[in-house]
């Protein structure tokens, strides 16, 4: 994946035309079939693997009629890039020259990615011979495949290209394919302006007149530093590297301002700007620099409702499933509350003051929206409703609102606004109300309610969304903001999250296994969501519950090892057993921004970095239990300067590289 380009196949490397197989560009399937036959048969694939987020390598052997012995003399290598190029190389170890008949069968439907993802592909189109390859035409859009060397035969009707390749002893020959998308003017299918596909990929409009070819992807640079982890548990090193590679494959430029970059939500469902996922990923990568956060915030500020009205200050966002006990939640509300928190924490990590000032008006609009929805003209309960006015009032939404108010007040202090004090008073009132209305006492010690209904009735189901109560945010001087729960309630929640009913052994279930409606494959009713598991682990570590935090961290690391270090956004919440493996979820995005960002977040969180660049300090408070052993993090960024830290097996931290003048806090 290198958005807006990507390629999907099985480990065989063959694009069969079934399922989601294909090369895609700008939300269109350029090729659905690319099937290779050599000497009348398919190569025997012995290895197929990703060598990076944007490229894959397939190794195969070829048996010819009459060939004796167990050792193959002809081997094949397919190198595939997300941008639509593929190199197929044949190598001979035979003692005599070999002639290989090679056929490649190609086809496409030019279907939209969103349609293919839900199982609604289009009919296969008829090919036409075009130059040194083939061409398929839809309404206003065309797919072209060119090859080098030119084939001896090109048959349009079956979409077939043929070669007779001569291999000298010890020699090799390569066929290169290049798949491209072209736009033409006219017709209802011709893109005009910016068209958004169901999965959120924008297609730039065509130039007037001649066809506009789009071949290689203009891949954005990584908007973060070249961070590296060296750990006693080498699986952590691999997870860090793979997650950053996957995030790079999801990086996109904003079509309005190309210098602003953000990460797409994930493949296949959110291959465009998903505000909540983009903000969470940017926040989780702050230890690697503030460039991604700044680009993401600027892109979302442009989408914010800035005109007077009921939605003034709100960032748009879609509804999403919230499980069997709750109506859908609204991602736009979460993004609106997350915006000022990300900006405030980015400033702590070293976002330049001019960038902070540039984004401050958008953050103030978010905070204005927050105060208005909790104190409507007709009266309210003092909580943020989601998804509509009047409730319900979700536990995690109040956690987001509380963090936004406290960190937002920090921002308002920068510009000397008198509203900062009022925000802190509002947050203090929310703490009092929440501890009274949301905490449910029971013989086992109590628990937070999942939500309050519109009439104020608490719904007691325990799920991983309560992890957000532990994510309080970073204030000045390396201190964490106060939480909605008091210390005793925090301790009780830590015990609940660490219980077998919540911790599957691979991470937190979305809903406790003891609750009605539990389904290990449920999006929000039992599946393990990596994002909320790492939020819980980091929050528990900050609150002093290191044993539970370490167990969750090791569970995610073990799961990542099973998934080849490319974590999906979720997997089944089946209980871990000896010798078992986490069960994939059929609808999970993989790669996913929040899963890859979460992997980086939890590994860096083990170091306990708490910067306050405006005050010129940084604190290092690693976990004393050192759950993954000794570790060294290099290539981080604090105050826009390199930062490196080493953690010993005894949980002692030592800063090895830091910006000049940055003082080590307590």
């Amino acid at each position: 994946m290198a958005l807006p380009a990507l390629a999907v196949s099985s480990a065989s490397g063959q694009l069969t035309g079934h399922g989601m197989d294909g090369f895609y560009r700008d939300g269109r399937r350029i090729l659905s079939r690319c099937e290779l036959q050599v000497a009348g048969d398919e190569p025997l694939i012995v290895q197929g693997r990703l060598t990076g987020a944007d490229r894959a390598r397939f190794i195969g052997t070829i048996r010819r009629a009459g060939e004796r012995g167990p050792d193959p003399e002809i081997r094949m290598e397919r190198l595939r890039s997300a941008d639509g190029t593929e190199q197929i190389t044949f190598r001979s170890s035979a003692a005599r020259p070999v002639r290989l008949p090679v056929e490649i069968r190609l086809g496409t439907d030019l279907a939209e990615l969103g349609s293919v993802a839900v199982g609604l592909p289009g009919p296969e189109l008829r090919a036409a011979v075009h130059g040194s390859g083939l061409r398929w035409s839809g309404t206003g859009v065309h797919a072209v495949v060119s090859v080098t060397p030119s084939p001896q035969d090109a048959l349009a009707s079956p979409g077939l290209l043929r070669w007779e390749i001569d291999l000298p002893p010890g020699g090799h020959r390569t066929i290169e394919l290049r798949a491209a998308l072209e736009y033409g003017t006219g017709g209802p299918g011709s893109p005009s302006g910016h068209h958004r596909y169901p999965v959120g990929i924008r297609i730039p409009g065509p130039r007037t007149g001649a066809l506009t070819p789009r071949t290689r992807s203009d891949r954005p640079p990584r908007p973060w530093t070249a961070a590296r982890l060296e750990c006693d548990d080498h699986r952590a090193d691999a997870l860090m590297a793979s997650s950053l590679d996957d995030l790079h494959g999801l990086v996109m430029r904003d079509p309005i301002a190309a210098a602003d970059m953000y990460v797409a939500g994930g493949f296949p469902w959110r291959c465009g700007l998903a505000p909540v996922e983009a903000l969470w990923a940017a926040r989780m990568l702050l230890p690697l620099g503030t460039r991604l956060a700044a680009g993401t915030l600027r892109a979302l500020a442009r989408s914010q409702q800035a005109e007077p009205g009921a939605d003034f200050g709100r960032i748009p966002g879609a509804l999403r499933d919230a499980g069997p006990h709750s109506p859908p939640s609204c991602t736009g509300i979460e993004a609106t509350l997350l915006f000022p928190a990300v900006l405030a924490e980015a400033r702590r990590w070293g976002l330049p003051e001019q960038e902070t000032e540039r984004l401050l008006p958008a953050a103030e609009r978010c905070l204005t929206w927050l105060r208005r929805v909790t104190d409507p003209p007709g009266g309210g309960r003092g909580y943020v409703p989601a998804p509509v006015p009047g409730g319900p009032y979700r536990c995690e939404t109040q956690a987001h609102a509380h963090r936004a108010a406290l960190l937002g007040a920090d921002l308002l202090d920068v510009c000397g606004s008198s509203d900062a004090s009022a925000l802190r008073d509002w947050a203090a009132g929310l703490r009092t109300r929440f501890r009274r209305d949301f905490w449910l006492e029971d013989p086992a010690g109590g628990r937070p309610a999942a939500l309050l209904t519109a009439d104020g009735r608490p719904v007691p189901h325990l799920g991983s969304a309560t992890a957000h109560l532990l994510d309080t945010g970073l204030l000045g001087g390396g201190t964490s903001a106060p939480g909605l729960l008091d210390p005793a309630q925090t301790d009780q929640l830590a015990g609940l999250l660490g219980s077998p009913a919540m911790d599957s052994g691979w991470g937190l279930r979305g809903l406790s296994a003891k609750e009605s409606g539990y389904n290990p494959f449920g999006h929000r009713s039992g599946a393990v969501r990596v994002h909320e598991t790492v939020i819980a682990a980091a929050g528990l570590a900050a609150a002093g519950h290191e044993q539970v935090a370490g167990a969750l961290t090791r569970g995610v690391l073990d799961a990542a090892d099973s998934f080849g270090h490319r974590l999906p956004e979720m997997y089944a919440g089946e209980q871990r057993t000896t010798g078992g493996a986490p069960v994939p979820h059929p609808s999970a995005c993989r790669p996913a921004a929040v899963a890859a960002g979460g992997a980086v977040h939890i590994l860096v969180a083990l170091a306990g970095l708490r910067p306050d660049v405006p005050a010129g300090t940084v604190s290092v408070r690693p976990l004393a239990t050192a759950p993954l052993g000794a570790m060294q993090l290099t290539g981080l960024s604090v105050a826009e300067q390199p930062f490196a830290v080493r953690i010993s097996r005894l949980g002692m931290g030592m800063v090895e590289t830091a910006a000049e003048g940055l003082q080590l806090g307590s």
Side-chain angles (χ1 to χ4, degrees):
M1 174 173 286
L3 290 180
L6 58 97
V8 184
S9 80
S10 69
S12 73
Q14 299 278 48
L15 305 184
T16 65
H18 301 305
M20 294 199 66
D21 280 11
F23 275 111
Y24 296 81
R25 174 77 199 207
D26 292 338
R28 290 275 188 174
R29 181 152 64 177
I30 308 174
L31 278 181
S32 58
R33 285 192 299 117
C34 183
E35 297 176 287
L36 173 68
Q37 282 200 338
V38 184
D41 205 354
E42 291 189 8
L44 174 64
I45 302 302
V46 295
Q47 185 184 74
R49 58 185 293 267
L50 289 171
T51 59
D54 65 331
R55 54 199 180 278
R57 181 173 183 252
F58 308 92
I59 303 295
T61 61
I62 295 161
R63 301 289 292 185
R64 294 168 295 132
E67 193 173 314
R68 297 182 178 182
D71 302 330
E73 295 181 330
I74 308 298
R75 58 195 187 277
M76 178 219 69
E77 178 185 66
R78 294 178 81 165
L79 297 177
R80 176 173 296 155
S81 296
D83 63 9
T85 61
E86 183 165 322
Q87 292 179 330
I88 306 172
T89 300
F90 303 95
R91 302 181 188 276
S92 174
S93 298
R96 297 183 302 275
V98 173
R99 170 161 287 192
L100 285 180
V102 176
E103 293 184 348
I104 301 179
R105 192 175 299 271
L106 304 167
T108 191
D109 53 7
L110 281 171
E112 298 176 1
L113 173 56
S115 298
V116 179
V118 296
L120 298 173
E124 187 162 304
L125 301 173
R126 182 180 178 85
V129 176
H130 179 76
S132 62
L134 298 172
R135 183 173 189 257
W136 299 261
S137 296
T139 305
V141 64
H142 314 270
V144 176
V145 172
S146 57
V147 295
T148 304
S150 297
Q152 274 92 18
D153 292 306
L155 307 179
S157 182
L160 190 64
L161 304 178
R162 290 175 173 164
W163 294 260
E164 292 285 339
I165 293 180
D166 292 316
L167 286 174
H172 68 276
R173 294 288 183 269
T174 297
I175 296 172
E176 182 174 273
L177 289 82
R178 297 172 298 279
L181 194 62
E182 294 180 344
Y183 296 120
T185 56
S190 177
S192 175
H194 293 300
H195 176 72
R196 185 178 288 274
Y197 277 96
V199 291
I201 292 184
R202 286 179 176 145
I203 295 186
R207 299 188 183 104
T208 303
L211 293 174
T212 304
R214 295 181 61 84
T215 51
R216 304 184 68 87
S217 70
D218 179 19
R219 195 174 188 194
R222 295 186 183 223
W224 51 75
T225 57
R228 184 180 178 187
L229 171 64
E230 292 183 21
C231 184
D232 280 351
D233 190 331
H234 296 303
R235 299 175 305 165
D237 306 351
L239 177 59
M240 178 95 157
S242 295
S243 297
L244 290 174
D245 200 32
D246 279 342
L247 286 164
H248 188 202
L250 293 169
V251 170
M252 300 187 75
R253 296 183 186 274
D254 189 278
I256 298 174
D260 293 343
M261 290 176 278
Y262 50 78
V263 292
F267 170 82
W269 310 111
R270 295 183 292 280
C271 286
L273 177 58
V276 167
E277 283 90 344
L279 281 169
W280 274 113
R283 185 182 180 215
M284 289 170 165
L285 264 66
L286 283 173
L288 279 64
T290 60
R291 186 180 178 190
L292 178 64
T296 303
L297 291 168
R298 287 193 295 264
L300 291 177
R302 286 189 283 270
S303 72
Q304 186 183 36
Q305 175 57 258
E307 297 298 323
D311 285 334
F312 175 80
R314 184 173 163 182
I315 295 171
L319 296 178
R320 68 178 173 202
D321 175 64
H325 304 296
S326 173
S329 62
C330 180
T331 60
I333 291 175
E334 185 174 341
T336 304
L337 298 173
L338 194 54
F339 188 104
V342 173
L343 178 57
E345 290 189 320
R347 179 173 173 267
R348 296 292 176 198
W349 281 95
L351 183 70
E353 289 298 328
Q354 62 269 28
E355 287 289 344
T356 302
E357 293 168 3
R358 178 181 174 184
L359 289 161
L360 195 54
E364 289 183 284
R365 289 192 289 269
C366 292
L367 296 171
T368 298
W369 177 87
L370 165 61
R371 294 293 304 279
R372 188 178 64 251
V373 297
T374 55
D375 188 21
R381 296 184 176 275
Y383 297 117
V384 177
V388 294
Y393 307 97
R394 301 175 192 277
C395 163
E396 67 272 24
T397 304
Q398 311 322 309
H400 300 323
H402 185 253
R403 183 181 58 230
L406 290 177
L407 273 62
D410 257 16
L411 283 175
L412 297 183
D413 284 339
V414 176
C415 59
S417 172
S418 59
D419 291 338
S421 178
L423 268 175
R424 293 188 178 98
D425 290 343
W426 180 88
L430 178 61
R431 286 195 295 277
T432 300
R433 292 189 298 275
F434 189 91
R435 294 171 186 179
R436 178 193 66 213
D437 298 338
F438 270 83
W439 189 260
L440 306 177
E441 295 291 351
D442 59 33
R447 63 168 65 182
L451 56 86
L452 300 182
T453 60
D455 59 1
R457 178 175 53 86
V459 176
H461 302 286
L462 178 66
S464 60
T466 55
H468 292 284
L469 293 171
L470 302 167
D471 179 28
T472 58
L474 184 64
L475 293 178
T479 60
S480 297
L484 282 174
L485 302 180
D486 64 31
Q489 293 168 340
T490 300
D491 293 347
Q492 174 67 7
L493 179 58
L496 291 171
L497 294 179
S499 69
M502 282 299 297
D503 183 3
S504 69
W506 306 111
L508 287 181
R509 296 181 174 93
L511 185 67
S512 167
K514 294 182 177 180
E515 300 287 355
S516 64
Y518 166 71
N519 173 4
F521 281 94
H523 273 68
R524 304 278 171 179
S525 58
V528 173
R529 303 189 70 84
V530 173
H531 162 57
E532 287 180 337
T533 300
V534 300
I535 286 296
L540 287 163
H545 296 278
E546 294 191 3
Q547 295 293 341
V548 182
L552 291 176
T553 300
R554 288 189 295 270
V556 170
L557 184 59
D558 292 342
D561 195 40
S562 178
F563 285 112
H565 310 297
R566 172 180 267 185
L567 279 166
E569 66 171 325
M570 60 182 169
Y571 38 89
E574 300 279 6
Q575 185 62 44
R576 182 174 183 171
T577 58
T578 302
V583 179
H585 192 290
S587 299
C589 280
R590 182 170 180 257
V594 291
V600 176
H601 176 67
I602 192 57
L603 294 172
V604 176
L606 295 176
L609 301 183
R610 301 184 184 185
D612 186 357
V613 171
T617 65
V618 60
S619 300
V620 180
R621 302 177 187 176
L623 273 66
T625 52
L628 303 183
M631 57 190 296
Q632 181 184 34
L633 284 158
T634 57
L636 303 181
S637 177
V638 179
E640 297 196 304
Q641 296 295 319
F643 189 88
V645 63
R646 183 186 297 272
I647 310 300
S648 74
R649 294 183 182 90
L650 299 177
M652 302 294 291
M654 181 176 68
V655 175
E656 297 186 322
T657 306
E660 185 176 351
L662 197 62
Q663 299 297 314
L664 187 62
S666 61

